[in-house]
Every structure is written in structure tokens, then in C-alpha cells.
Amino acid sequence: MIKKQLWKLIFLLGHFLITAGLTVGLISAEWGLIPLIFLISGILISGFWVVLQSQRSKWWKQRSTQAGTNAILATLAVLTILGLINFLGTRYHLRTDLTETQLFTLAPQSKELLRNLPQPMKVWLFTRDQNYQDQELLENYRRQSPNFKYEYVDPQARPGLAEKFGVKDFGEVYLEFENKHQLVQTVNDNERLSEIRLTNRLQQIISNNTAKVYFLQGHGELRITNNQTNTQNSITQVVQGLTDKNFTALPLNLTENPQVPDDATVVIIAGPKQELLSGEVQALEGYLNRGGNLLLMIDPNTNPKIDNLLKDWGVKLDNRLAIDISGQGLGLGPAAPLVTEYGQHPITKEFGNGISLYPLARPLEITSVSGVESTPLLRTKPYPSTWAESDQQSEKLEFNEGKDLKGPLTLGVALTRKLSTQVTPIPTSSPTSTSSPIWTPSRTNANSQPRTKESRLVVLGNSDFAKNGLFEQQLNGDVFLNSVTWLSQQDQQPLSIRPKEPTNRRITMSTAKANLLSISSLLLLPFLSFGAGAMIWWRRR
């Protein structure tokens, strides 16, 4: 009896050593001395046991042996699979976000910023509460770049560090980058760390300068400030979005000074209702000719008198109205084109098949012009889903051959024009002078240094998409902000899809409804289930 027990222990020891060796090697991913010793010892012991047992008896033919062998092989297979799963889980991070709004997935803009971090960056959270939701967000950031780090700090335990950042209250979150500090937000039980705020502050602290964006005013354009009498005609959300991207939004009135300021990175004309004066148009043309950047958002049934300016770029405003009947099932009217097709351009390269909306839009006609490179940005669906309607007063919108234009329609275009200038060094003093030369424009000669500049123009046949309320819908805000970013010609600014606010899924109900829900779930439903079970039992009895 003792001898049988000893052989059994030897048998178990061999398999234990083999399992231990496989587990240690797979999990650590290093087949060093210890896992090899386990494996070799286990194999030798098991082999020795099998040889002796086969010589002593017809052990292999016994039914118990076959059943035991199958059980051992199954156990080894399960352990091997578990070891491989642990190894893969340690080496590779595979995550699937099944939430409707991709709540646990970083936006493309956040990923692009993190992948292009030039220097190490750190997030300091001055709080004792290490919230799981905040940590999960920060871990998502950390996975994108080895330059991103974060640390929780108790401001009372490390008062010197808290004083360095100027911490005034628990829960303050700061960014540190190249000896610069910036407050992100204050987290508490009611407000957790936000990807939108963290990414915006990240972009602001990386950018070295603030570009100025001027909005032309005086022709019924969309207002960049709140107006209590007409809030629907404001684009304050646009201004906030530009501020988050380190732009400064300023008004521009060309009737007071008929020249675009030299510090204007981009000039925006958003939905003018009246004509521009000829002097204003000339000022805009001069601005473009010296390397300026212009964003035009022109609604249908308006004529700002900029046809000559657009003609030089090969763009013509179509006076018809873009009709799209494909979105009626989604609650959209036929005059609200729904765009899911975008051009191959830096502004829209990350959009895929995303949705953007353009209520009351006009098509654009694009022709080739020497020296101008154009790329359509926004394209509607093909006919019969979309067309350009000429009879806008008709109660029944239908396509009329010869008058209307079949889709797909172009609602937005991006254009680039190269501008070359020549500069020549001209000394301002005699040959014996030691003063430095001044660089001034001159005629072309052998010693001149050519310098190439670029002028950019984006034309959109709609301005309503940028109004408060619609700006945050789908990709509308991304279309606008990416257009401004591309026009600004700042390479460090990412062109991608911004983070979105998570959808509020909270259920708001009165106290009476909450009590009714509690009573029904705790008493009514269990009682009904018990009653149904008792009735079934009684009938079967």
C-alpha cells in the first residue's frame, strides 16, 4: 500500500513540475534557468514513472489508466491555454469599446497630440481621491505615448510642490510641460476629469504662440458675441472652440480701416447678408495676394458681391438650393443636406463616413485655374437623393430637367495658391562700413533669393452649421475648426476629430415616480413571480 502511494506521489510530482515550468515560462516570457529546471525534471520523472509502470504490468491497457491519461492531457491543455492567454494579455493590450459614443476610447485628436508629443509631459492631480474613472482616462492617455505621465499628490503631505503649482483647493489638476504649468480643471464627486478639457489644455500648453482670427462684421454676419435678442444668430461656441485651440477671435470692420491687419492669421466671413463694398473686396484680395488665408461661408439667396475674388480662384457660387431627401427618415428636412462623403484633404482626412449637417446650403461650381490647387471637401449623395433646386418658392420640391442640377453636389472646397517673391540684400552703407545689410524687395538678379509663400482659401456654401446648437452636432464643429487650423498654416496644430462630451443618460423623475419604481421592483415584481410559480405548481398538482 505504501509503495503504491509512493508511485502515485512520484507521478503527481512529475506533472506538477511540468505544469509549473510551462506556467512560469509563459507568464514571464523568459525561458530562463528556473522554468527549464522545472520542465526537464518533470519530464524525466514522468518518463521514468511511465517506463517502470509499463514494465511491471499491463498498465496502459487498464481502463483507469486511459481515463486518467485523458484527464491529465485535458488539464495540461487548459493550463497551457491559460498560460498563453496570460502571456498575450501581458504583452499586448487589446481593448474593445462597446459603448454607443465610444466613451472609453480617446478621440483621434487626443491620440494625434499624444503621439506627437515633442517632450515629456506630466499631469499632477492634487487630491487624495484616486478615482477609478479618472485613472482609466489617464491610462488611455499614457498608452498612446511614453512621454505622457501622471501622478497623484496629497497637497498636505507635499506642501512645497502644491505651493509651486499654486494649488488653492483639493482636486485641482495641472499640466506640466517644459517648466510651464497650466490648470486643467478641478475634479470632485460631481465632476470627473474630462478628455475635452485635458486635450484642449494639452494643445494650448504645447503651442508656442496664439494666432489671431478675424471675423468680418458689418454685413449681417454671424455674431461672435452673445446677443440677448437673437441668440440663434451667434457663434459663441465657435469662439470657445477657437480659444481652446489657442486662437484669438477678434472682430474686423474694413469700413473703419480698409486693410486687413498684418497680424491676421485667418479672416473669416461667416454668413454675410448684405453686399461688401468694393473697397472691402479689394482689401481682401490684397490680403490674399500677400499670403493671407480666408474662410468664406456664404448662404443661399445672398450676394455679397465677391464673384470677382472667387473667379480668380476658380470658384462660382450656385444660386440654387441644395436638396437632400435621404435624411427625411431621420427627422431632417429636404433643405438640410446630410454629408457623409469627404475629400482627400488634411481638413477631412480623419472623417471617414462621419455625418455633418448643412441646413440651407448652396452648391459650388469649381473650375480649373492655373496656379490654384483645389480639393472638394464636402460632397452630397448622388441623384436621386440630392439635387440643386432652382424653384425655391414651390411647395413641392421635385427635380426639373434642364433647370435643376443632379447630385452629387459640392458644398465645400479648399484651395491653395503659391505666391513667389524675390528679395535682394542691399547694403545701406559704403563698402567700408561694418554695418549689416538690409533685405529689401528688388528685381530678379543672380544674387536674389526666391522665397515662396502660400495663400489658402476655404469656401463653404453654408454658415448655419456653425451656429450655436448645430456646432456641436456630429462633425460640424470639426469641419469648421479643422478648416481654420489648416488655413492658419500651423504644422503643430492637429487636424482630426475632437473629443465629444459624453451623452447624458441619467433618468430624471419625480419623488413619486421613484418611490413607485422602488415598490414595484422590490415588492410587486417578486410577488407576481411567486404567485405565477404557485399557480403553475397548483395546476400541475
Side-chain angles (χ1 to χ4, degrees):
M1 186 65 130
I2 296 175
K3 195 171 183 181
K4 284 186 178 181
Q5 297 236 346
L6 181 60
W7 282 112
K8 187 175 181 180
L9 288 175
I10 293 175
F11 170 75
L12 293 175
L13 176 63
H15 285 78
F16 170 77
L17 292 174
I18 293 174
T19 304
L22 288 172
T23 303
V24 172
L26 290 172
I27 292 179
S28 64
E30 295 180 0
W31 296 94
L33 185 61
I34 293 178
L36 288 177
I37 290 175
F38 282 158
L39 279 173
I40 294 172
S41 301
I43 292 172
L44 291 176
I45 292 173
S46 298
F48 177 71
W49 183 86
V50 169
V51 171
L52 287 179
Q53 287 296 323
S54 61
Q55 290 179 353
R56 293 179 56 193
S57 63
K58 298 179 180 180
W59 177 71
W60 285 109
K61 297 182 180 180
Q62 295 178 9
R63 188 173 181 180
S64 60
T65 302
Q66 295 176 358
T69 303
N70 291 335
I72 291 169
L73 292 175
T75 303
L76 288 175
V78 171
L79 291 174
T80 304
I81 292 172
L82 290 176
L84 287 172
I85 292 174
N86 277 282
F87 167 71
L88 294 174
T90 304
R91 289 291 174 183
Y92 306 100
H93 299 283
L94 179 62
R95 296 163 56 85
T96 302
D97 190 352
L98 300 179
T99 57
E100 179 187 0
T101 57
Q102 298 293 289
L103 185 60
F104 302 105
T105 303
L106 293 182
Q109 184 187 86
S110 302
K111 294 179 180 178
E112 187 174 347
L113 274 172
L114 292 166
R115 285 194 292 263
N116 297 324
L117 275 180
Q119 299 292 335
M121 170 174 288
K122 193 168 186 178
V123 175
W124 297 88
L125 299 95
F126 291 92
T127 177
R128 297 172 180 169
D129 175 27
Q130 299 188 17
N131 182 268
Y132 172 78
Q133 181 179 336
D134 295 347
Q135 284 184 306
E136 184 70 17
L137 177 62
L138 292 169
E139 281 296 318
N140 284 341
Y141 275 79
R142 188 187 60 79
R143 292 188 189 100
Q144 301 298 324
S145 172
N147 284 331
F148 183 89
K149 294 179 174 57
Y150 69 92
E151 183 177 346
Y152 280 89
V153 177
D154 183 349
Q156 292 184 346
R158 300 175 66 180
L161 184 63
E163 184 178 356
K164 173 185 174 182
F165 281 85
V167 177
K168 299 179 181 178
D169 197 3
F170 279 95
E172 291 186 358
V173 181
Y174 282 85
L175 269 178
E176 182 180 23
F177 179 74
E178 295 182 343
N179 298 322
K180 294 187 291 185
H181 304 149
Q182 184 162 354
L183 176 66
V184 177
Q185 68 177 103
T186 301
V187 296
N188 51 51
D189 293 337
N190 298 322
E191 185 177 3
R192 302 317 317 172
L193 190 60
S194 165
E195 181 189 354
I196 294 179
R197 295 185 182 181
L198 185 55
T199 295
N200 288 339
R201 299 299 178 269
L202 179 66
Q203 185 170 343
Q204 289 176 4
I205 201 172
I206 290 175
S207 180
N208 295 323
N209 51 14
T210 300
K212 293 183 179 181
V213 176
Y214 285 87
F215 286 80
L216 186 66
Q217 301 289 291
H219 315 87
E221 294 91 349
L222 300 177
R223 298 175 59 88
I224 62 175
T225 57
N226 278 324
N227 185 352
Q228 296 181 355
T229 60
N230 189 6
T231 58
Q232 295 182 348
N233 205 40
S234 300
I235 50 174
T236 53
Q237 290 179 340
V238 163
V239 175
Q240 182 60 50
L242 290 172
T243 302
D244 291 338
K245 292 178 73 67
N246 229 25
F247 291 103
T248 299
L250 299 168
L252 174 63
N253 193 329
L254 291 177
T255 59
E256 298 175 356
N257 183 13
Q259 183 176 357
V260 177
D262 293 333
D263 61 355
T265 304
V266 182
V267 172
I268 299 175
I269 304 179
K273 300 296 186 293
Q274 288 89 37
E275 300 176 3
L276 273 67
L277 299 175
S278 59
E280 295 177 298
V281 177
Q282 291 175 6
L284 294 173
E285 290 176 341
Y287 172 66
L288 289 172
N289 290 334
R290 66 176 190 264
N293 308 287
L294 184 62
L295 172 59
L296 298 175
M297 300 155 59
I298 312 300
D299 294 315
N301 301 318
T302 61
N303 185 11
K305 295 294 184 180
I306 56 174
D307 294 341
N308 290 333
L309 183 152
L310 293 175
K311 184 179 180 181
D312 294 338
W313 291 77
V315 180
K316 183 180 179 181
L317 301 174
D318 196 308
N319 292 323
R320 289 169 285 199
L321 180 68
I323 300 297
D324 185 354
I325 60 174
S326 64
Q328 292 184 352
L330 302 175
L332 301 175
L338 185 148
V339 172
T340 58
E341 182 182 343
Y342 304 93
Q344 295 299 318
H345 191 272
I347 294 176
T348 53
K349 66 178 181 179
E350 300 287 347
F351 287 4
N353 294 324
I355 299 172
S356 53
L357 309 171
Y358 304 90
L360 299 177
R362 71 193 307 167
L364 307 174
E365 297 180 25
I366 313 300
T367 56
S368 178
V369 173
S370 177
V372 175
E373 180 182 348
S374 63
T375 304
L377 296 178
L378 311 172
R379 298 275 286 178
T380 66
K381 296 180 178 64
Y383 179 81
S385 295
T386 67
W387 70 88
E389 177 65 45
S390 57
D391 187 6
Q392 303 178 26
Q393 305 300 323
S394 175
E395 296 182 0
K396 184 179 181 181
L397 295 175
E398 59 183 4
F399 179 79
N400 297 308
E401 193 71 42
K403 295 183 179 180
D404 300 336
L405 178 66
K406 293 183 178 180
L409 309 172
T410 299
L411 302 184
V413 63
L415 307 106
T416 304
R417 184 170 64 190
K418 300 292 184 181
L419 304 173
S420 297
T421 58
Q422 293 294 141
V423 291
T424 303
I426 298 178
T428 58
S429 58
S430 63
T432 59
S433 173
T434 59
S435 60
S436 301
I438 297 177
W439 292 81
T440 59
S442 177
R443 292 185 298 271
T444 304
N445 57 53
N447 297 322
S448 63
Q449 299 291 332
R451 182 167 55 91
T452 302
K453 295 182 66 176
E454 186 175 87
S455 181
R456 294 180 177 181
L457 173 67
V458 171
V459 184
L460 304 174
N462 176 260
S463 68
D464 286 352
F465 80 99
K467 288 182 178 180
N468 291 347
L470 285 174
F471 179 78
E472 294 294 342
Q473 294 291 324
Q474 303 296 331
L475 296 178
N476 285 15
D478 298 297
V479 171
F480 181 90
L481 293 177
N482 281 9
S483 297
V484 175
T485 302
W486 178 76
L487 288 169
S488 69
Q489 304 189 37
Q490 298 185 55
D491 295 334
Q492 72 274 17
Q493 289 275 16
L495 289 166
S496 191
I497 300 176
R498 302 168 299 137
K500 300 292 191 296
E501 288 284 0
T503 305
N504 187 356
R505 301 292 186 185
R506 296 176 184 151
I507 299 176
T508 304
M509 60 179 64
S510 63
T511 304
K513 291 181 179 179
N515 293 334
L516 179 61
L517 181 62
S518 300
I519 293 172
S520 61
S521 59
L522 296 176
L523 297 176
L524 184 59
L525 291 178
F527 177 77
L528 290 175
S529 301
F530 178 78
M535 185 178 297
I536 293 173
W537 172 81
W538 178 259
R539 292 186 62 181
R540 289 183 176 180
R541 181 175 177 274

